[in-house]
Each structure stands twice: as C-alpha cells, then as structure tokens.
Amino acid sequence: MNELKSIESQALQALESVTSIPELDQWKSTHLGKKSSLMGVLKGMKDATPEMRKEMGAEANRIKKGLGASWEKRRQEISEAEVNARLEKEWLDITLPLSHDEQGHLHPITRYSRKIEDIFTKMGFKVLEGPLVEDDWHNFEALNIPPEHPARDMQDTFFMTNGSLLRTHTSSVQIRTMEKIQPPFRGIAPGRVFRNEEVDACHDNTFYQVEGILIDKDISVANMKYFLRTMLREIFEKDVEVRLRHGYFPFVEPGFELDLRCLLCEGKGCPACKHVGWSELMGCGMVHPKVLEACNIDPEVWGGFAFGMGLNRLVMNHYDIDNIRHFVSGDLRFVQQLN
Ligand code: DAH
C-alpha cells in the first residue's frame, strides 16, 4: 500500500513539470502504461492474501482513475496555453497605419490603359469590352478578312478544337459594338490579345492593345488625325509630331500607319527609333464600307475612323524596357521598379 502511495505521488509530481503534448504522451506511457510501476504492483498482487488483494486492487484502481483524471486536466491546460501562445503571436493591430513601402500599385499596362480611357472618355468615347475567346466572324470575316484571304497570315492565330479562337486583335470589339449600337457612337476597347508567334525580346504570344472607333456623318482623315494627336499629346504630356504613311489593313480604306517623331532623340536618330527619327505607333484608317455593311450600317450615310495601338510598345518606350516578356512574367521585381 505504501508503494502504491509513493507511485501516485511520484506520478503527480512528474506531471507538474510536463509542459507539452508530446511530453504528456510520454508521461502517460511511463505512469499508466503496461510497463509502469503501477501495473507492476498490480501484477505482483497474485502472491497476496485475498483480503489484501481486494484492498490493494481498490486502491490501485482509485489511483489509476485519479491519475487518468489528472492527465486529462493537464492536457486541457496545455492545449489552452498553446492556443493562447499562438493567438499572442498572431495578434495584429488592424488600426495601425500601413507602411508605405508595403503598398501595392497598378501594373504599368493597367495604368497606361486607364490613362488612355480617361483621355478618351473626356472626348465622349465609351469604354467597350469584348470576349477574349472569339469566333471567326468577329475576329476576321466581318472585318473584311474572308477565309483564304492572305491577310489571315498577318496574324498567327491560336485556334480551339471547337472552331473558336483567341482574339488576335481588339478590332473584334469594333464589330461587337456596331452590331449592338446604332451610330453615331464613339468608343475605345483596351484589352489583351493573343498570337501564335515565336517569342523573343520584341514578340510575345500575348500582349495588349487599345482599339478605337468613331462612327458619325462627314468624318474625315483630318478628324482622325486630330483625335489621335490629341490623345498622344495627353499621353506623353507634351506636344508631339505625327505623320501618316499608307498602310494596308483590310478593315480600313484608306489605311495608315501612324508614326510618332521619336521622343528620345526628337528625330535626330537613336537606337530606340532604329535611327530613323520616327517610331511606328499604330494602325488606323477610315472604316471600310464592307465592315459597316457586315454590321448593317449604311455606308452611304455613316462613316468614321478606327485605330489599333499596341500598349506594350508604348510602355516599353516610356520606361526603356528591353524585353516584352517581362509584362506577363509575374515577376514582382519587374513591376516594383515601375511604380
Ligand atoms: N488590328 C490591327 C492589328 O492588330 C491594328 C489596326 C490597324 C486596328 C488599323 C485598326 C485599324 O482599327 O484601323 O495589327
């Protein structure tokens, strides 16, 4: 009986210094497990008299139950302490002001695109949207690019197995708009486009464009030039010189390439403009009558201009970025430099 008492007090004493769940498991197997002293005593009882056995059995059971209850109590204390310690560590003061160097910012493409949206909305343009997964009609056919037309080779296309395709240009949004809205209207459509191209520092298989379209009565090339020059002046926040060269795009007639007098060398020639003094900025022109007809708009009454500009090139010129693939790389070290 004395031995039982001392086993009990030793076990309770040992329990006091237990501070973690693994230690607690260890304690349980030492003091209540098959090889514990308590079990040893119980096993040794076979030589005792029946009365002693009864008495000791009852005492051993009491101790076993008591130690079990003490173990459970300790387990609860330890779990609670662990939860409290974690809460203490994870506590945050949500009323603290944010440190400035941890603040996020917009991707440069988004920033440029919003800037262009602002400029055009002030001139009465609506911001238009269209799907990235397009059909042949909106991306090609309605834009006066029938099947087998050589212009289809100008833009390598990602086709889906169901006949859909990833839009190769934002010009598809022109068609979606003209199908829905009656003229006069004016809108711009910034967005992502896809081409099945070999990628290198200047070409990626996904990039961003801004499309613009204005349909009204008596619109001329001079009107188009005015709008585009105003936009560029506001984008670059200084006066700019532009020139129009003939360019072929099936959906406009006449079609043009618009060049910007190089902003870096002001026309003297530098690596950025490949030493010609001008840099190609966008395609534009007067909307082709066939495109209007495809959207049930009478070309005898209505006409207008459209343009499509690559956004990546613009941002690359502004920040002197040497590789187009940085834009969608997801590498934060790239975007963080362009705050
Ligand atoms: N969609 C043409 C391209 O991606 C760009 C373009 C040229 C758009 C002339 C136009 C335009 O609206 O009039 O290469």
Side-chain angles (χ1 to χ4, degrees):
M1 287 298 266
N2 277 347
E3 200 182 337
L4 277 175
K5 288 250 169 352
S6 99
I7 286 172
E8 182 183 26
S9 63
Q10 270 175 28
L12 289 174
Q13 207 180 348
L15 191 60
E16 273 171 32
S17 54
V18 165
T19 54
S20 71
I21 298 290
E23 277 171 34
L24 198 63
D25 290 342
Q26 183 59 47
W27 180 91
K28 195 175 185 182
S29 90
T30 310
H31 297 280
L32 289 170
K34 280 197 190 107
K35 290 185 181 144
S36 62
S37 320
L38 184 63
M39 291 304 161
V41 172
L42 287 174
K43 271 182 209 147
M45 281 190 334
K46 60 184 184 304
D47 305 327
T49 62
E51 295 86 70
M52 263 176 79
R53 239 192 315 211
K54 197 174 163 205
E55 203 183 331
M56 278 176 68
E59 179 66 357
N61 270 334
R62 185 194 62 77
I63 293 174
K64 202 171 147 200
K65 258 197 184 152
L67 289 181
S70 306
W71 173 84
E72 176 56 27
K73 189 164 158 258
R74 191 82 189 115
R75 196 188 60 79
Q76 278 182 15
E77 283 167 8
I78 291 174
S79 316
E80 235 168 74
E82 281 181 357
V83 168
N84 286 340
R86 214 183 63 224
L87 287 180
E88 183 72 25
K89 215 166 74 196
E90 289 176 0
W91 184 84
L92 22 121
D93 182 353
I94 56 165
T95 65
L96 275 179
L98 192 67
S99 132
H100 280 285
D101 34 296
E102 283 173 16
Q103 241 167 22
H105 63 85
L106 294 175
H107 190 282
I109 293 277
T110 312
R111 213 164 48 224
Y112 255 84
S113 161
R114 296 215 181 149
K115 189 170 181 180
I116 293 168
E117 285 171 27
D118 280 350
I119 296 168
F120 274 97
T121 43
K122 275 189 229 148
M123 299 195 282
F125 284 69
K126 275 207 166 70
V127 179
L128 311 166
E129 266 181 82
L132 303 186
V133 178
E134 261 300 359
D135 51 42
D136 195 272
W137 170 257
H138 292 93
N139 197 79
F140 293 122
E141 203 145 355
L143 286 161
N144 193 27
I145 317 174
E148 315 304 330
H149 191 287
R152 291 209 176 196
D153 296 337
M154 285 162 72
Q155 302 178 352
D156 299 308
T157 311
F158 285 114
F159 289 100
M160 318 283 213
T161 45
N162 67 1
S164 304
L165 49 90
L166 295 183
R167 69 178 184 193
T168 57
H169 51 185
T170 42
S171 301
S172 53
V173 188
Q174 286 186 28
I175 305 300
R176 294 214 167 255
T177 306
M178 287 193 277
E179 283 174 342
K180 275 202 297 259
I181 309 178
Q182 284 304 306
F185 61 79
R186 37 182 91 177
I188 57 159
R192 191 166 184 175
V193 300
F194 306 85
R195 301 227 183 136
N196 192 358
E197 296 216 37
E198 284 289 325
V199 296
D200 60 32
C202 304
H203 301 91
D204 204 349
N205 47 30
T206 176
F207 52 98
Y208 293 81
Q209 291 187 329
V210 181
E211 191 80 14
I213 182 159
L214 180 150
I215 303 290
D216 210 322
K217 290 179 178 158
D218 304 322
I219 301 297
S220 69
V221 174
N223 297 134
M224 175 182 84
K225 203 172 167 188
Y226 165 79
F227 273 103
L228 295 181
R229 193 161 157 231
T230 306
M231 163 183 78
L232 295 171
R233 204 187 284 146
E234 297 220 14
I235 290 179
F236 295 108
E237 290 164 13
K238 61 178 172 184
D239 204 14
V240 293
E241 200 182 329
V242 297
R243 74 176 182 194
L244 293 175
R245 271 182 301 119
H246 173 72
Y248 173 70
F249 303 97
F251 31 93
V252 281
E253 181 57 40
F256 305 95
E257 301 264 7
L258 183 141
D259 294 341
L260 178 73
R261 170 81 76 188
C262 180
L263 296 169
L264 295 176
C265 63
E266 291 174 341
K268 288 187 213 71
C270 70
C273 61
K274 300 197 187 89
H275 303 281
V276 289
W278 295 88
S279 49
E280 278 180 26
L281 210 57
M282 66 178 100
C284 55
M286 306 311 287
V287 178
H288 199 291
K290 281 195 176 160
V291 174
L292 295 170
E293 271 166 8
C295 303
N296 290 320
I297 293 173
D298 184 356
E300 297 292 330
V301 183
W302 303 102
F305 64 81
F307 64 89
M309 176 169 65
L311 266 181
N312 300 64
R313 202 57 50 82
L314 207 67
V315 178
M316 285 169 82
N317 281 347
H318 183 145
Y319 291 105
D320 203 10
I321 295 165
D322 61 356
N323 196 324
I324 192 168
R325 284 171 291 175
H326 289 316
F327 286 107
V328 288
S329 66
D331 191 337
L332 286 180
R333 291 172 305 177
F334 167 70
V335 274
Q336 275 161 357
Q337 291 174 60
L338 307 175
N339 192 356

